[in-house]
Amino acid sequence: MEFEWDDQQAEVKTRYDFSNAKRGSVVRTPSCKTRITIRIDDDILDWFRGQVHAAGGGNYQTLINAALRAHIDLQAPNDQEGLEETLRRVIREEFPSYRTGDRETP
């Protein structure tokens, strides 16, 4: 068995030119992404893979990233609030009588 493997390796080396080959991953990770190792419950991973399968293809990791981003957006609305919401919040904080309706008329 070992002999067959050696013959196959020799055949590959003679058939293909690896003189300019580089070690490492074939697909580079974009600079805005970080590769991590994470443990996820089997049922969670199965759900995301099922979503990709039902959609006819794609990447379950992209779906997980989108779900995490949506969760963060829901958890921190004040971090990304718009101008109108910021003005309303400041008015409520700075003018408590305006909020309660106890306004004085001139």
Side-chain angles (χ1 to χ4, degrees), residues 49-102:
R49 286 180 171 163
Q51 295 299 305
V52 168
H53 181 72
N59 186 333
Y60 71 90
Q61 294 171 337
T62 301
L63 287 181
I64 292 172
N65 194 61
L68 290 170
R69 186 172 304 282
H71 178 75
I72 289 170
D73 289 345
L74 288 174
Q75 296 299 313
N78 289 332
D79 293 343
Q80 299 174 2
E81 66 185 351
L83 177 60
E84 181 181 357
E85 186 57 34
T86 301
L87 287 172
R88 290 179 186 273
R89 182 177 49 79
V90 169
I91 289 171
R92 284 192 303 266
E93 291 172 0
E94 297 298 322
F95 304 103
S97 62
Y98 182 80
R99 186 174 58 153
T100 61
D102 298 335

Side-chain angles (χ1 to χ4, degrees), residues 15-33:
R15 185 181 300 179
Y16 300 102
D17 178 19
F18 292 103
S19 62
N20 293 321
K22 295 180 182 176
R23 290 186 174 268
S25 71
V26 176
V27 178
R28 296 276 180 211
T29 304
S31 61
C32 61
K33 304 260 184 187

